[in-house]
Amino acid sequence: MGDTAGSTVDVARISAMDAREAARLLKGVRAAALAGDRPPAAPRPEIAESWRRMLAGGVHPDRDARSRMLSAAETEERRQVSPLRELLPVLREGLLPELDEALHIMVVADADGRLLWREGHSSILRKADRLGFAVGADWDEAVVGTNGVGTALVTRRPVQVFSAEHFVSSHHDWTCAGAPVRDPRDGRLLGVVDVSGPLATMHPATLAWVSSVARLAERELRVRHLESLERLRTVAAPLLARLPGRALAVDAHGWTAAVTGLAPAERMPLPKAFGPGRVWMPQLGDCVVEPLPGGWLLRVEEAHGTGAAASRVVLDVSRPRAWSATVYGAAGSWSQELSPRHAELLFLLAEAPRGRSAAELSLELFGDPTRTVTVRAEMSRVRRHLAGVLTHRPYRFAEDVEVELIRPQDPSELLPHSTAPAVVRARLGRTGPWGSAPADVVP
């Protein structure tokens, strides 16, 4: 097989194997990892991290626990409110023509891991029914173990799971590839599109295929968003032309449609408690907010200046998929939801009061000090959202800003999507089934 102890499972190699041979290898890897023995090959890092989460969460490796199935009415209610509903034509066009021939099915799940739509080869649909892979089922990773839906939701990255890489043994006859779908307006995770089928149909290119279709779906959302901004601009432009002073029109997510008296900004972070009346905006100060069709009109109150400087920041990374930074100042407070990458960066800076250079952040984030261009670009974005809170050279929280970091009670639940070496070390800063080595499941 070409695998030696200490090497890592290679997707292309196991895909080239006979299905039974590949299953035998992966079952050997899983069995050794569960027993604490030296495996024939190390599991892939994303699979190893998922297995750690399963053991920490008490998921049984040989018993498939189930949450209550949604009723037909509950499923339909979720379908109606899900933005993924609008994307079904794109997903079907990109995936369905090949599914019958490939003996696969397409599954679309929401951000909770609930399966809302399922289509594809009829014989595979029947097999999926026997597995409980049905509309209304809960395929959150914490419920059914490592899988293409739930693990993609946790990591927020595309993931392919072969045979015994599934933590629960009843799933070992399957292979799946799932890709998350995000809302380009605010980065919110909408759900996952997954392609699954029998182990014999596995192919390493499936993940790239599913990921490409997910990106096409996101592009469709982006096009629709630009069209809605243009409609808002049509309404707002005549109003702004008649107003004195500074003003702008933004949509419900803070994206700018039109401005007057201001340098145009692509987006304004909106406080959570946002609505008509007087609102303090971190970049603008006090503003009067009025509703517009499809958005808001913000008029800057010149007499109140540009607002007070921040004095305190609360960085909350204690809840899964709900990370935030709340900024406090003399004029009030506001919160900013954080993307997975920005949550990682702010956590690293909160852990380093003296700051970090771009190279140091690159090493802590990627294990490679040379990826400074990516770090600088991300820090530029996060500094736009947290104006007056972060400084650079080195990157750090401003000296007069008090920083409070709220961690999860269980260290293993710290930023579970992250594979950043520094975050993994913080997450594994406890005695676990595989010690503190972040790279492999077994020492």
Side-chain angles (χ1 to χ4, degrees):
M1 291 186 295
D3 290 297
T4 59
S7 64
T8 301
V9 170
D10 180 80
V11 172
R13 186 174 301 164
I14 63 173
S15 297
M17 293 179 181
D18 173 80
R20 286 175 295 182
E21 184 183 10
R24 191 160 47 247
L25 168 64
L26 294 172
K27 287 179 180 179
V29 171
R30 174 179 173 274
L34 292 174
D37 298 330
R38 188 171 181 82
R44 293 183 289 139
E46 60 268 35
I47 299 301
E49 285 293 321
S50 177
W51 288 356
R52 288 192 183 97
R53 292 192 293 271
M54 298 308 92
L55 287 183
V59 176
H60 197 287
D62 295 311
R63 274 204 304 271
D64 192 351
R66 290 287 171 186
S67 292
R68 181 184 68 85
M69 290 279 288
L70 295 177
S71 67
E74 290 171 322
T75 300
E76 185 58 29
E77 182 178 352
R78 289 198 180 216
R79 285 176 169 179
Q80 291 298 324
V81 299
S82 173
L84 294 172
R85 186 170 183 265
E86 304 173 12
L87 302 178
L88 285 176
V90 176
L91 298 176
R92 286 169 174 148
E93 183 179 351
L95 296 174
L96 288 185
E98 309 298 330
L99 290 185
D100 274 353
E101 184 177 346
L103 296 178
H104 277 74
I105 59 173
M106 175 190 80
V107 170
V108 181
D110 65 15
D112 294 326
R114 288 288 185 174
L115 309 192
L116 299 186
W117 292 276
R118 196 189 66 160
E119 300 179 36
H121 196 281
S122 58
S123 67
I124 309 305
L125 289 172
R126 289 192 293 271
K127 290 182 179 180
D129 287 338
R130 293 193 289 271
L131 186 67
F133 199 47
V135 170
D138 185 354
W139 276 71
D140 187 278
E141 189 190 62
V143 175
V144 296
T146 309
N147 71 91
V149 173
T151 303
L153 286 172
V154 171
T155 64
R156 300 195 175 205
R157 293 192 303 272
V159 63
Q160 194 162 16
V161 184
F162 297 104
S163 183
E165 290 183 326
H166 291 92
F167 187 76
V168 179
S169 58
S170 58
H171 305 167
H172 288 180
D173 291 335
W174 285 77
T175 179
C176 54
V181 180
R182 299 173 183 82
D183 191 330
R185 297 171 298 183
D186 55 11
R188 180 168 55 100
L189 184 63
L190 300 178
V192 167
V193 58
D194 170 271
V195 165
S196 295
L199 176 61
T201 65
M202 68 181 178
H203 194 284
T206 304
L207 185 61
W209 172 39
V210 176
S211 299
S212 297
V213 174
R215 300 295 79 76
L216 283 175
E218 291 177 347
R219 188 176 304 166
E220 174 68 16
L221 281 176
R222 179 61 175 160
V223 169
R224 295 185 182 199
H225 178 222
L226 292 175
E227 291 173 347
S228 69
L229 278 179
E230 185 58 36
R231 289 193 293 269
L232 176 58
R233 185 176 297 114
T234 301
V235 172
L239 297 175
L240 294 176
R242 295 193 296 268
L243 288 176
R246 298 180 294 163
L248 68 161
V250 299
D251 71 3
H253 301 275
W255 292 90
T256 303
V259 302
T260 183
L262 289 164
E266 187 176 39
R267 189 182 183 192
M268 287 286 175
L270 302 181
K272 285 188 177 179
F274 187 81
R278 183 169 281 106
V279 176
W280 182 75
M281 300 287 292
Q283 291 95 333
L284 302 173
D286 285 319
C287 296
V288 174
V289 179
E290 301 173 30
L292 290 174
W296 303 96
L297 174 66
L298 280 66
R299 292 188 288 112
V300 180
E301 292 279 79
E302 304 294 346
H304 294 275
T306 58
S311 60
R312 181 167 172 257
V313 174
V314 176
L315 177 61
D316 188 347
V317 293
S318 64
R319 297 167 296 164
R321 308 176 198 164
W323 313 292
S324 66
T326 302
V327 181
Y328 296 86
S333 65
W334 57 276
S335 293
Q336 172 69 35
E337 292 186 5
L338 301 174
S339 69
R341 180 68 77 212
H342 290 175
E344 289 174 326
L345 285 167
L346 291 177
F347 170 76
L348 296 177
L349 294 180
E351 291 284 271
R354 295 185 178 180
R356 287 286 186 266
S357 67
E360 288 171 330
L361 282 176
S362 178
L363 182 63
E364 293 184 336
L365 201 61
F366 305 112
D368 178 358
T370 65
R371 297 181 62 177
T372 55
V373 172
T374 301
V375 168
R376 290 191 180 101
E378 290 293 345
M379 285 303 304
S380 176
R381 294 186 186 100
V382 75
R383 288 180 67 208
R384 282 201 299 269
H385 293 318
L386 298 174
V389 172
L390 297 171
T391 63
H392 64 301
R393 297 180 183 176
Y395 293 112
R396 65 187 187 280
F397 285 95
E399 291 183 3
D400 54 351
V401 173
E402 175 191 352
V403 180
E404 179 184 351
L405 175 61
I406 303 178
R407 299 167 175 261
Q409 291 185 345
D410 182 350
S412 68
E413 295 177 358
L414 174 67
L415 301 176
H417 70 283
S418 178
T419 57
V423 176
V424 172
R425 286 194 297 271
R427 189 188 302 141
L428 298 179
R430 57 184 176 82
T431 301
W434 302 296
S436 59
D440 299 311
V441 172
V442 292

